[in-house]
Amino acid sequence: KQWYQRRVAITAGEGNILEDESAIQVLNNAKVLSNEIEKKQVVAEETEKMIALSREGYRTIAKHSSVLYFSIADLPNIDPMYQYSLAWFINLYIMSIEQSNKSKILEKRLRYLTDHFSYSLYKNVCRSLFEKDKLLFSFLLCSNLLKDRQEINHDQFIFFLTGGIGLENNLKNPAQEWLSEKSWDELCRMSDLAGFGGFRKSFQANIADWKRYYDAKEPQKIKLPEPWHSKLSDFQKMTCLRCIRPDKVVQAVTNFVEEKLGRHFIEPPPFNIATCYQDSNATMPLIFVLSPGADPMAGLLKFAEDKGFGGDKFNAISLGQGQGPIARKMIEKAAEDGSWVALQNVHLAVSWMPQLEKICEDFSPDTVSNSFRLWLTSYPSPKFPVTVLQNSVKMTNEPPTGLKANLLQSFTTDPVSDTKFFDGCPEKEPHFEKLLFSLCFFHAIVQERKKFGPIGWNIAYGFNDSDLRISLQQLQIFVNAYSHVPLNAVTYLTGECNYGGRVTDDWDRRCITTILRVYYNHEVVDDNKYKFSPSGVYYAPPSGTYDSYVAFIKNLPSTQLPEVFGMHDNVDISRELQGTKLLFEDLLVTQAQTGGGGTGGSSTEQKLNEIGSDILTKIPASFDIEDAVEKYPVKYEESMNTVLVQEMERFNRLCDVIRSSLFNLQKAIKGLVVMSDSLEKVASSLLVGKVPELWSASSYPSLKPLGSYVNDLVARLKFLSNWFEHDKPNCFWISAFYFNQAFLTGVKQNYARKYTIPIDKLDLDFEMLPCDDIDTAPEDGAYIKGLYVEGARWDDKKMSLAESFPKALYDTMPVIWLKPNIKVDISTEGKYVSPVYKTSARQGQLSTTGHSTNFVLAINVPTIKPQKHWVLRGTCLLCSLDD
């Protein structure tokens, strides 16, 4: 500034500037300064270029890290407890910078850091995920990284999850004897994707080669028929497998992740409470996210004891009504004196959760003792404070899986592991030990049946160690109290009270008591090697020492065949299909709803318009209820008139909801009306081929995808339309009814009024006819068709239930004659009393009419085998399939 002021003074002065020495000196210095500034600017520009070049070197890892962050940001859509904050993510990243291998070569350093952080994130997130979501998370990381590198096409990825959207396929299935219509439809849609051109024609020309691929035990490990094995990428091959053998998708995804990311990304680290404790601090709560059958308190108490926080230094309380203030005082006291507090079942204290959030926010290193820890246990709850979840160490500790692991846990925990208890029946050891082992085996069986989904249990019950513990204690009491074990009493207490107390479904209750009779009987005690499975792999070992039983369990197979559950080998396929379905559903909710594979807004809007228009053209006009009432008036002797009119009214309401939502969606796309939240949800569902929730709320139960649902709805409407136009059908399509129970009541009511018998004295008897359809109506009752059997097949020759064929999960039932009869005259001898459900989910809720939303009725089906055989098989009849 001074140089500038002097220059101004010199240039403004009078006289000859050359005669002023000080002026000349000033100008010389100014020139030197100007040259220095110019040189520094050149250096600064060079430095800026070098910084920009160095920054570009880190761009790849920055992009990689952003992909990882947004992968975990979508996890709360799967479960509300999967919350992770950006601050937590950054802190984990900083730890990786410090802990990863160092190198002066930038590329190596970044590779080390990328690998270390990716696996560190996987480990830390995995310990807070349920077992079912760990592979999903690995695949989510893998697919997002590959999509970022342009190695996976977004359209193909969405197709992999949904199977595409199609309402009707006019192309004939060339392999109907082994390829399902659903698979054929998906293959046709896959042929329209980039990279799959000509696939359909190639498939039709090489049916035999594809049949060998379909029949392979592990198709995910063998080559596709050429030229497709050489032509397709690994992900595209997996997409092809998804269409032909969807039951093997989970194994294929596991192999895919292992190949792309490494084996350590498919091997989640085992639960370790000590590691979780090390990663925590006094201001960070530790949360056990509970699952049915899991109880972490025993392990936590032992860990607290090992760390010197037993006795008075560990306080626990189970939250519930009025427990909040007590818990608050506990936390305040423990924060001061440095002890530990465990709050159990936080999900039950919804009203107190805001206070818990405030308590945790007030934690600071200055006000809380360093040794203080707050432990929380909670089932997943959308009301759980997000800030607490994001700034905590979350853990899941699920019960062991597999019969062997379950048995071993039962024998190595209290009370069985206590020698006083194990030897607690002097002079009656053989009886007690055999029944004790049988009861532990029963406990493992009822736990493991859950993995088979609805065919195992209609409802997934949370059987846990406390059920086993009380049953074992009661068994010991009864063995000691009586000279002969009162098996009826023990069976009742165990099956109806201890375990049965959790069972809310009548058919599940029948199942659990049937299972228990396999393990609680006199043969178990009398036979030295009573078989628990037909093969004899599992049996009750001879009476021996505690160590001999543990050794016997350790020698059992690590995996078990369905036979030990009394099930057919096909249930493994059902279980794998269920796993595939769950994987796809959970992956879909993590995807941004941007159009199901569209590349821009216009293509998404065009696709929505096409889907909406296609559906609207298929659905016929609403039924004219006035015409129906006039043509089919209420008649005392014909209840079916009322059934028809009521069904028309119900379907009209459903069709009105579908039409109005589609019309409004098309208007919203054009900008004529506001795109409401409900319309956005409809659009999102249509783009991924799902039935919108708005429709489901007004619909009959259905698990079908969008295309199949619309076709099924049109078929039901056609059934009612034909009834209206051509009079009552000779054979009723039972699945077509919205409210099946009204039709069944109508059948009984017609009979009751015809023969003047009180309807409450009547029930339905059943006769299977050797045909798939029939042209004449019965004099009394009604003929029905359209039922499927799951867990068995119908043998037309023997007119009886029979074992399923391999890979045939369902079979069609013949025409069934519903014959009203006096209840006392109906015999179930030689018959299996089979429940009939509307969908394969089986589980339903009790509606306001007093009927289940899923269960229809029980049908007596002829059988050569005893009823318990089909009960253990999980056999039932279904009105409609999922496809």
Side-chain angles (χ1 to χ4, degrees):
K1 187 177 179 181
Q2 291 176 350
W3 287 111
Y4 176 74
Q5 289 174 345
R6 294 185 68 180
R7 283 184 63 189
V8 170
I10 292 167
T11 53
E14 299 179 0
N16 190 349
I17 192 172
L18 299 175
E19 295 177 357
D20 189 341
E21 291 183 10
S22 63
I24 292 170
Q25 184 64 37
V26 169
L27 292 174
N28 283 336
N29 290 341
K31 185 177 181 181
V32 171
L33 183 61
S34 176
N35 290 339
E36 287 178 2
I37 290 172
E38 192 173 338
K39 288 177 182 177
K40 287 180 180 179
Q41 282 180 331
V42 172
V43 172
E45 287 174 2
E46 289 296 323
T47 304
E48 188 177 349
K49 289 179 181 177
M50 289 177 64
I51 292 172
L53 188 64
S54 298
R55 188 170 61 235
E56 283 300 314
Y58 289 92
R59 187 174 294 278
T60 53
I61 194 170
K63 200 172 184 184
H64 176 93
S65 302
S66 69
V67 170
L68 296 184
Y69 176 72
F70 287 110
S71 295
I72 64 170
D74 292 325
L75 291 178
N77 293 328
I78 299 172
D79 192 289
M81 305 300 274
Y82 297 166
Q83 301 278 354
Y84 309 92
S85 66
L86 180 59
W88 174 85
F89 183 85
I90 292 171
N91 184 52
L92 193 65
Y93 197 88
I94 292 169
M95 289 170 62
S96 283
I97 292 173
E98 295 170 353
Q99 296 171 5
S100 57
N101 294 334
K102 309 294 189 291
S103 176
K104 292 182 179 179
I105 302 170
L106 182 62
E107 288 184 4
K108 277 189 176 181
R109 169 61 176 150
L110 295 184
R111 189 168 67 251
Y112 292 149
L113 181 55
T114 299
D115 292 345
H116 187 279
F117 178 65
S118 298
Y119 185 59
S120 176
L121 180 74
Y122 170 74
K123 280 197 306 181
N124 280 272
V125 171
C126 252
R127 71 183 177 197
S128 61
L129 301 180
F130 291 120
E131 203 64 39
K132 69 181 181 68
D133 296 324
K134 290 178 181 178
L135 177 62
L136 179 147
F137 178 57
S138 299
F139 183 62
L140 187 64
L141 290 180
C142 180
S143 58
N144 285 347
L145 290 171
L146 293 178
K147 280 194 284 184
D148 182 63
R149 297 177 206 156
Q150 308 297 316
E151 292 182 32
I152 291 182
N153 176 280
H154 184 69
D155 286 10
Q156 292 176 4
F157 185 72
I158 294 298
F159 176 87
F160 177 68
L161 301 185
T162 64
I165 310 162
L167 299 183
E168 193 169 354
N169 184 10
N170 296 319
L171 299 168
K172 187 179 178 182
N173 182 352
Q176 293 181 359
E177 64 277 6
W178 58 269
L179 186 70
S180 69
E181 290 300 324
K182 176 177 181 285
S183 294
W184 171 243
D185 291 348
E186 289 179 355
L187 281 177
C188 292
R189 291 194 288 270
M190 186 180 72
S191 299
D192 297 331
L193 293 173
F196 290 94
F199 186 91
R200 177 171 54 81
K201 290 182 180 178
S202 174
F203 180 88
Q204 289 173 309
N206 298 279
I207 295 292
D209 292 340
W210 286 104
K211 176 71 164 61
R212 281 192 290 272
Y213 177 78
Y214 171 84
D215 287 336
K217 189 175 181 180
E218 295 183 317
Q220 74 277 12
K221 292 184 179 179
I222 67 172
K223 292 183 178 181
L224 294 177
E226 293 293 354
W228 301 104
H229 185 76
S230 305
K231 187 177 179 181
L232 300 180
S233 68
D234 290 340
F235 181 77
Q236 289 171 329
K237 291 172 187 173
M238 198 160 60
T239 305
C240 187
L241 178 76
R242 181 242 192 277
C243 297
I244 298 174
R245 284 290 300 275
D247 55 306
K248 295 299 179 184
V249 165
V250 173
Q251 291 96 316
V253 165
T254 304
N255 297 339
F256 183 77
V257 173
E258 181 181 1
E259 185 177 333
K260 300 298 179 183
L261 296 184
R263 185 164 186 79
H264 49 287
F265 277 90
I266 60 168
E267 294 177 342
F271 173 75
N272 190 332
I273 194 171
T275 305
C276 298
Y277 174 76
Q278 289 171 5
D279 292 343
S280 70
N281 57 53
T283 63
M284 186 181 291
L286 295 101
I287 305 175
F288 286 100
V289 185
L290 302 176
S291 59
D295 185 7
M297 282 308 293
L300 176 57
L301 288 167
K302 185 177 184 305
F303 179 73
E305 197 75 40
D306 294 343
K307 284 289 181 180
F309 285 88
D312 295 338
K313 290 188 176 181
F314 186 92
N315 295 292
I317 185 172
S318 182
L319 292 182
Q321 189 172 3
Q323 299 299 307
I326 301 172
R328 187 186 189 98
K329 289 178 182 177
M330 272 182 159
I331 294 171
E332 290 171 353
K333 182 177 180 296
E336 288 181 13
D337 60 29
S339 56
W340 290 3
V341 171
L343 306 183
Q344 296 175 259
N345 301 319
V346 178
H347 61 283
L348 299 177
V350 175
S351 60
W352 191 70
M353 284 185 186
Q355 294 183 48
L356 174 65
E357 184 176 20
K358 181 71 170 60
I359 291 169
C360 294
E361 284 176 354
D362 291 342
F363 286 159
S364 73
D366 300 329
T367 59
V368 175
S369 170
N370 287 334
S371 60
F372 166 74
R373 289 295 185 276
L374 175 61
W375 303 81
L376 308 172
T377 73
S378 174
Y379 278 94
S381 169
K383 302 291 185 183
F384 204 99
V386 173
T387 54
V388 178
L389 288 170
Q390 290 184 340
N391 299 290
S392 63
V393 174
K394 297 181 288 296
M395 303 159 278
T396 57
N397 184 21
E398 297 179 80
T401 57
L403 285 180
K404 179 179 177 179
N406 257 296
L407 274 171
L408 201 57
Q409 185 190 41
S410 298
F411 265 78
T412 53
T413 54
D414 186 68
V416 184
S417 59
D418 184 355
T419 53
K420 287 184 179 178
F421 179 85
F422 190 82
D423 300 327
C425 293
E427 299 180 4
K428 297 181 181 179
E429 290 92 345
H431 291 182
F432 177 63
E433 290 168 9
K434 285 284 196 75
L435 291 172
L436 180 148
F437 183 85
S438 287
L439 182 56
C440 291
F441 205 94
F442 164 78
H443 178 73
I445 288 288
V446 297
Q447 292 271 52
E448 286 299 297
R449 277 184 77 97
K450 285 190 287 188
K451 71 181 182 183
F452 296 109
I455 206 167
W457 299 110
N458 289 357
I459 300 168
Y461 302 103
F463 302 119
N464 59 33
D465 292 343
S466 64
D467 302 323
L468 176 63
R469 192 177 301 114
I470 186 66
S471 298
L472 286 168
Q473 290 167 348
Q474 288 173 346
L475 174 64
Q476 188 183 65
I477 290 169
F478 276 89
V479 169
N480 281 326
Y482 296 89
S483 56
H484 296 286
V485 183
L487 282 175
N488 287 338
V490 177
T491 302
Y492 183 84
L493 284 172
T494 303
E496 297 287 351
C497 302
N498 303 336
Y499 286 86
R502 298 184 185 275
V503 178
T504 55
D505 184 278
D506 289 340
W507 302 102
D508 283 341
R509 187 176 294 277
R510 179 180 73 166
C511 182
I512 198 168
T513 53
T514 303
I515 295 170
L516 188 56
R517 288 192 199 102
V518 175
Y519 302 99
Y520 262 4
N521 57 61
H522 292 290
E523 286 82 3
V524 171
V525 178
D526 299 335
D527 192 340
N528 272 338
K529 282 192 175 182
Y530 176 77
K531 292 180 181 179
F532 291 146
S533 65
S535 65
V537 173
Y538 295 93
Y539 61 90
S543 177
T545 63
Y546 169 80
D547 291 335
S548 70
Y549 277 99
V550 173
F552 174 80
I553 293 168
K554 288 181 177 178
N555 288 326
L556 291 175
S558 297
T559 58
Q560 59 278 330
L561 295 174
E563 58 142 20
V564 72
F565 300 97
M567 293 179 167
H568 191 275
D569 289 346
N570 282 350
V571 297
D572 272 341
I573 300 175
S574 298
R575 176 177 55 81
E576 289 167 344
L577 284 171
Q578 189 77 13
T580 298
K581 182 182 177 184
L582 188 65
L583 179 71
F584 287 155
E585 287 177 351
D586 286 346
L587 279 168
L588 264 176
V589 300
T590 67
Q591 302 302 303
Q593 303 297 329
T594 55
T599 54
S602 59
S603 64
T604 301
E605 293 169 1
Q606 183 182 355
K607 185 179 285 188
L608 282 171
N609 272 320
E610 289 174 358
I611 296 170
S613 299
D614 197 5
I615 294 172
L616 287 170
T617 55
K618 285 179 176 294
I619 296 179
S622 295
F623 296 112
D624 190 322
I625 301 301
E626 290 184 3
D627 284 355
V629 171
E630 185 178 343
K631 188 173 181 180
Y632 295 93
V634 176
K635 285 185 178 180
Y636 179 80
E637 66 276 7
E638 186 50 270
S639 298
M640 289 302 161
N641 289 1
T642 306
V643 172
L644 173 62
V645 173
Q646 290 178 347
E647 285 294 306
M648 286 179 164
E649 289 174 345
R650 293 186 185 101
F651 278 101
N652 275 357
R653 284 195 291 270
L654 171 59
C655 291
D656 288 344
V657 170
I658 294 173
R659 284 195 205 92
S660 64
S661 63
L662 291 176
F663 280 133
N664 288 332
L665 180 60
Q666 290 179 337
K667 288 179 181 178
I669 290 170
K670 295 174 183 176
L672 301 177
V673 297
V674 175
M675 179 69 83
S676 64
D677 182 51
S678 61
L679 287 180
E680 278 190 12
K681 289 179 179 178
V682 170
S684 299
S685 297
L686 295 180
L687 288 169
V688 296
K690 288 178 64 179
V691 178
E693 289 181 9
L694 183 66
W695 301 3
S696 298
S698 302
S699 175
Y700 49 86
S702 177
L703 299 178
K704 294 179 182 290
L706 180 65
S708 301
Y709 176 83
V710 173
N711 292 334
D712 178 60
L713 172 61
V714 171
R716 292 176 188 235
L717 295 173
K718 188 177 180 181
F719 169 77
L720 293 179
S721 179
N722 288 339
W723 184 348
F724 173 76
E725 292 173 5
H726 305 115
D727 207 355
K728 185 173 68 172
N730 296 319
C731 186
F732 291 89
W733 179 26
I734 184 70
S735 309
F737 292 100
Y738 190 112
F739 186 53
N740 313 72
Q741 285 86 352
F743 164 72
L744 299 172
T745 303
V747 172
K748 290 192 288 185
Q749 202 168 56
N750 281 350
Y751 186 87
R753 288 173 175 176
K754 181 178 178 180
Y755 296 101
T756 60
I757 301 171
I759 194 171
D760 57 349
K761 290 186 178 180
L762 292 177
D763 208 343
L764 293 174
D765 202 355
F766 309 90
E767 183 179 332
M768 313 296 150
L769 304 182
C771 57
D772 296 327
D773 207 345
I774 194 163
D775 297 329
T776 57
E779 185 176 344
D780 293 318
Y783 293 139
I784 62 169
K785 63 180 180 179
L787 291 178
Y788 304 88
V789 58
E790 181 183 22
R793 69 177 174 87
W794 178 252
D795 190 327
D796 290 326
K797 295 178 181 178
K798 296 181 179 178
M799 294 299 287
S800 167
L801 282 178
E803 295 293 356
S804 303
F805 291 126
K807 294 184 183 177
L809 305 182
Y810 307 98
D811 192 23
T812 55
M813 289 295 290
V815 171
I816 301 175
W817 182 8
L818 306 184
K819 302 162 64 176
N821 201 352
I822 305 295
K823 289 180 181 179
V824 294
D825 294 338
I826 297 174
S827 171
T828 58
E829 189 176 348
K831 294 178 180 179
Y832 168 61
V833 182
S834 172
V836 180
Y837 299 101
K838 296 179 183 179
T839 70
S840 64
R842 304 194 185 192
Q843 180 182 355
Q845 287 82 40
L846 200 64
S847 64
T848 53
T849 61
H851 298 88
S852 167
T853 53
N854 208 337
F855 175 72
V856 181
L857 81 161
I859 289 183
N860 304 326
V861 187
T863 174
I864 297 171
K865 294 181 180 292
Q867 172 154 284
K868 72 173 186 179
H869 177 83
W870 302 114
V871 172
L872 296 177
R873 284 281 198 264
T875 303
C876 75
L877 303 184
L878 302 174
C879 290
S880 67
L881 304 181
D882 299 356
D883 303 328

